[in-house]
Amino acid sequence: MTDFELFEPKNWLELQEYLFKEKDNKIDRFRSPYAYRGVYNAQFGLETSLQRLGRIPSKVEGTMIRNFKKYSPINTLIDDYNNFWNWISLGQHHGLPTRLIDWTHSPNVALHFLTEDMSTYNVDGAIWMVNYVALREHLPDELKTPILSKDIFYFSSMELKQTIGNSLEELYDFSSRNTNTMVFFEPPSLDDRIINQFALFSFMLDPDSSPLEWLKNHPKYLKKVIIPSGLKWEIRDKLDQANITERIIYPGLEGISKWLKRWYSDKNKIN
């Protein structure tokens, strides 16, 4: 097993150069094949919220989704009320423990989540990067064929409905017939937060498996950027100048309040 790529920048310029260096030579444009996930502690892995419950995910996943649907308002979804993938996306977006992991297409949005909580600036953070474009080659044929034939990089919720199925039972049946892998899809535009966060989700076909351990066994898809704690204040201030703030990430009164609270805090008195 080959180690995945690690990078630790010494300053803001090195960090930005590394995060934005990807280029699609076929079209001569700076387009990245990576999804980005910022975590405030570099020791954090890629466990799903469902795994962090401490239960066996496959034993509780179905009951949780069933109850989420049962108790949610009937008009919750924008469209396609009967799409299972919309429901699991909606749950993830509103804090339901699921097999999904949040990613973003934007390196700077990932840096925002890494520096959002000022009380964590005393520990090194990290950005995980996964090459979702190259990852397509590892998909089972039932997924690889339609995605490559359309020359697309990840699925929509409708395409997952058509290829895997429209229920958790169909997902488990599909998983039982195929080798475990990581799948990326773009969630429906349920609200402005998903749109502004440039969101992307991933999931493992086997919800009980470790996404990070799987990626370590396929290291060509994975990179990790270690963000030294001493860089966090500079990153935070420069993101603010670039308008990557809570006001944008969380449109509405909550985001404005979070932004103003952080903006007017004394950095020397943060607990």
Side-chain angles (χ1 to χ4, degrees):
M1 183 175 66
T2 306
D3 291 336
F4 59 87
E5 183 176 322
L6 284 170
F7 177 70
E8 183 171 342
K10 297 182 178 64
N11 53 55
W12 166 264
L13 291 179
E14 278 191 5
L15 172 62
Q16 290 292 299
E17 183 178 8
Y18 185 84
L19 292 177
F20 287 94
K21 70 178 181 179
E22 299 297 329
K23 188 174 185 180
D24 185 341
N25 291 319
K26 291 181 180 179
I27 60 173
D28 192 28
R29 300 288 295 273
F30 282 92
R31 301 282 173 80
S32 175
Y34 285 90
Y36 305 85
R37 177 174 174 82
V39 292
Y40 72 79
N41 190 324
Q43 299 303 311
F44 290 170
L46 292 173
E47 297 83 7
T48 67
S49 54
L50 192 59
Q51 291 172 328
R52 291 197 293 269
L53 291 178
R55 306 281 296 277
I56 298 174
S58 58
K59 301 297 183 183
V60 297
E61 182 178 31
T63 300
M64 294 187 71
I65 293 175
R66 174 181 176 272
N67 286 330
F68 181 73
K69 291 177 67 175
K70 181 170 66 173
Y71 295 118
S72 296
I74 194 71
N75 61 347
T76 299
L77 289 174
I78 293 175
D79 58 11
D80 202 356
Y81 180 86
N82 294 313
N83 188 322
F84 164 77
W85 300 98
N86 282 1
W87 275 109
I88 195 172
S89 299
L90 183 72
Q92 173 74 8
H93 188 53
H94 287 279
L96 180 73
T98 75
R99 67 167 69 196
L100 304 181
I101 295 179
D102 292 285
W103 301 85
T104 175
H105 290 285
S106 168
N108 281 339
V109 169
L111 286 174
H112 170 85
F113 287 118
L114 189 154
T115 57
E116 188 175 39
D117 184 351
M118 293 181 295
S119 69
T120 65
Y121 284 14
N122 61 328
V123 295
D124 293 349
I127 289 183
W128 291 101
M129 300 170 55
V130 172
N131 189 327
Y132 60 84
V133 176
L135 186 65
R136 296 178 303 171
E137 67 187 45
H138 202 82
L139 293 172
D141 289 340
E142 291 179 67
L143 295 179
K144 183 190 298 184
T145 300
I147 202 171
L148 292 181
S149 66
K150 296 178 182 179
D151 195 26
I152 54 179
F153 298 140
Y154 44 79
F155 295 92
S156 67
S157 59
M158 180 57 67
E159 287 160 340
L160 288 179
K161 178 179 176 179
Q162 294 168 345
T163 53
I164 292 180
N166 195 36
S167 68
L168 189 62
E169 291 73 23
E170 288 176 286
L171 173 55
Y172 275 98
D173 178 66
F174 182 92
S175 302
S176 69
R177 294 184 277 105
N178 291 281
T179 303
N180 189 36
T181 190
M182 177 177 279
V183 181
F184 277 86
F185 77 101
E186 188 173 50
S189 298
L190 299 170
D191 59 24
D192 288 341
R193 288 190 180 189
I194 281 184
I195 296 169
N196 288 8
Q197 292 169 17
F198 214 171
L200 197 63
F201 289 158
S202 72
F203 65 93
M204 303 300 297
L205 289 183
D206 176 7
D208 298 335
S209 64
S210 166
L212 182 55
E213 289 306 311
W214 187 88
L215 286 166
K216 285 181 177 178
N217 287 318
H218 303 85
K220 64 181 179 179
Y221 305 126
L222 181 66
K223 295 181 181 182
K224 185 180 184 181
V225 183
I226 305 296
I227 308 297
S229 60
L231 268 184
K232 284 187 174 182
W233 273 111
E234 181 180 0
I235 291 170
R236 184 63 265 166
D237 288 342
K238 289 181 175 177
L239 289 177
D240 285 344
Q241 289 184 52
N243 200 28
I244 308 296
T245 71
E246 295 86 348
R247 191 162 60 97
I248 303 301
I249 300 298
Y250 308 108
L253 298 178
E254 180 185 355
I256 294 171
S257 299
K258 285 184 175 182
W259 167 61
L260 290 173
K261 178 182 178 181
R262 183 179 54 73
W263 182 268
Y264 286 102
S265 294
D266 186 335
K267 66 179 289 187
N268 297 311
K269 296 182 180 179
I270 300 297
N271 293 324

